[in-house]
């Protein structure tokens, strides 16, 4: 199947003998879109079509136009090695878009392949929070399995409005960074709401403590910090180390005292031994 520039619709084939009551289901329309996403770097979950046990050994192929190439770029990926894609041309190039000399087929990780899609197909370079190449592709190739046709501004049913808005703004050439700031604010608001719910939960008080308890602990901690700051400012030794120093001084004095007593005892012992010797050797 070939696609052309602009809007492409995938429909089931009909024949002259087809009736209005003939079903167009299970013709492979959704499966084709799923395989396109698989070849363009979607996650290989257990429910992915290409990861089906009966299809894992099949290598799927896609040819697509690529900036800087005169011929279509060939892409291959299979369920057996779902973490990698094989390209028939080395289009990694550099961050400024310059191509490396052609080296034939090259195998890339899916993560690297996704980065190339973002850079070369969507012009995304550097940090671009709030905008994803995979989300942009989901807007361009909608999937029925993700309920991508339910709403025009979402690619799946649970997609947050701020996330969808920043990607749509980028596709439409609007100031997506301004929209992304709204997304960040919405995320902070959601976090604040969750924290408020947690604080209001009575279990939180039993685990962390009441507000009064926490304020008391904060006051004690702040007082301890101020004492340490004062000691440092006055070049005082921290009390714990001062006590250790006093103990070491006492032990040192005890050792000196014991050494002096040992000398005296040794002298007395020598005098006693001399007296005993004189008494024994007398007339």
């Amino acid at each position: 199947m070939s696609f052309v520039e602009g809007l492409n619709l995938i429909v089931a084939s009909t024949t002259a003998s087809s009736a209005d009551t003939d079903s167009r289901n299970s013709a492979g329309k959704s499966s084709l879109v799923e395989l396109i996403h698989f070849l363009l770097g979607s996650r290989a979950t257990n429910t992915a079509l290409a990861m089906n046990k009966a299809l894992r050994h099949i290598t799927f192929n896609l040819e697509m136009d690529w900036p800087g190439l005169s011929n279509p770029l060939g892409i291959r990926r299979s369920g057996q090695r779902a973490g990698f894609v094989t390209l028939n041309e080395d289009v990694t190039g550099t961050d400024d878009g310059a191509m490396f000399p052609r080296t034939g087929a090259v195998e890339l990780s899916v993560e690297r392949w996704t980065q190339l899609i973002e850079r070369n197909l969507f012009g995304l370079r550097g940090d671009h929070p709030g905008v994803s190449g995979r989300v942009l592709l989901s807007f361009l190739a909608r999937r029925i399995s993700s309920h991508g046709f339910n709403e025009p501004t979402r690619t799946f049913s649970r997609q947050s409005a701020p996330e969808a808005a920043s990607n749509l703004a980028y596709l439409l050439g609007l100031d997506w960074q301004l929209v992304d700031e709204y997304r960040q604010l919405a995320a902070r608001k959601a976090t604040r709401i969750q924290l408020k719910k947690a604080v209001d939960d009575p279990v939180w008080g039993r685990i962390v403590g009441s507000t009064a308890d926490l304020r008391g602990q904060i006051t004690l901690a702040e007082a301890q910090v101020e004492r340490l700051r004062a000691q440092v400012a006055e070049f005082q030794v921290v009390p714990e180390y001062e006590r250790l120093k006093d103990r070491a001084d006492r032990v040192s004095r005890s050792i000196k005292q014991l050494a002096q007593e040992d000398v005296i005892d040794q002298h007395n012992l020598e005098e006693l031994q001399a007296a005993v010797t004189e008494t024994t050797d007398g007339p």
Side-chain angles (χ1 to χ4, degrees):
M1 178 176 289
S2 299
F3 297 96
V4 296
E5 184 177 352
L7 177 65
N8 291 265
L9 301 177
I10 302 174
V11 297
S13 299
T14 59
T15 64
S17 60
S18 299
D20 293 339
T21 56
D22 291 338
S23 173
R24 304 294 190 271
N25 296 329
S26 301
K29 305 184 296 295
S30 299
S31 297
L32 177 60
V33 177
E34 292 292 338
L35 290 176
I36 290 175
H37 274 281
F38 179 71
L39 287 161
L40 293 179
S42 66
R43 289 186 298 174
T45 61
N46 293 331
T47 58
L49 178 64
M51 300 302 293
N52 186 285
K53 185 177 180 180
L55 302 176
R56 285 175 62 91
H57 67 284
I58 298 178
T59 299
F60 297 96
N61 296 269
L62 172 69
E63 289 188 348
M64 63 181 298
D65 294 336
W66 192 264
L69 294 183
S70 56
N71 296 318
L73 176 66
I75 307 155
R76 301 194 303 274
R77 188 183 181 190
S78 70
Q80 287 182 330
R81 303 191 76 248
F84 300 89
V85 297
T86 301
L87 309 179
N88 68 341
E89 294 281 359
D90 182 2
V91 295
T92 53
T94 58
D95 290 337
D96 59 2
M99 293 293 184
F100 286 139
R102 298 288 180 260
T103 58
V106 60
E107 184 177 77
L108 303 174
S109 67
V110 172
E111 291 76 11
R112 179 57 175 154
W113 173 227
T114 303
Q115 292 172 358
L116 292 178
I117 290 175
E118 290 181 339
R119 186 192 70 186
N120 291 58
L121 298 187
F122 295 108
L124 291 170
R125 291 180 173 80
D127 295 332
H128 42 81
V131 178
S132 163
R134 286 296 317 150
V135 177
L136 296 176
L137 285 172
S138 296
F139 273 111
L140 298 177
R142 293 177 179 262
R143 291 182 283 185
I144 192 68
S145 62
S146 302
H147 308 287
F149 291 94
N150 289 9
E151 298 181 58
T153 58
R154 299 176 191 261
T155 61
F156 57 94
S157 57
R158 295 186 178 181
Q159 186 176 31
S160 66
E163 178 190 6
S166 58
N167 285 274
L168 273 177
Y170 187 84
L171 283 177
L172 297 175
L174 303 177
D175 189 348
W176 64 271
Q177 293 176 321
L178 178 62
V179 178
D180 185 62
E181 291 179 4
Y182 165 71
R183 179 188 65 84
Q184 295 177 22
L185 289 175
R188 293 176 185 175
K189 180 181 179 181
T191 302
R192 182 179 62 81
I193 293 174
Q194 294 300 322
L195 288 175
K196 187 177 184 304
K197 289 181 179 179
V199 171
D200 294 339
D201 191 338
V203 177
W204 175 271
R206 291 197 296 268
I207 296 175
V208 179
S210 64
T211 302
D213 293 337
L214 294 176
R215 286 176 178 171
Q217 295 178 17
I218 292 173
T219 301
L220 292 175
E222 290 176 345
Q224 178 66 14
V225 169
E226 289 301 323
R227 285 196 297 270
L228 292 174
R229 285 178 177 171
Q231 291 172 0
V232 171
E234 297 175 2
F235 296 100
Q236 292 182 356
V237 180
V238 178
E240 288 77 5
Y241 293 103
E242 187 69 29
R243 286 194 292 270
L244 291 175
K245 179 178 177 297
D246 292 341
R247 183 180 177 185
D249 291 341
R250 291 196 300 270
V251 172
S252 179
R253 288 194 296 269
S254 298
I255 293 174
K256 291 179 180 180
Q257 181 66 29
L258 291 174
Q260 293 173 358
E261 292 176 355
D262 182 64
V263 172
I264 295 173
D265 291 341
Q266 188 69 29
H267 179 70
N268 292 336
L269 178 60
E270 292 176 354
E271 288 183 348
L272 289 173
Q273 288 177 342
V276 170
T277 301
E278 292 177 357
T279 304
T280 305
D281 294 339

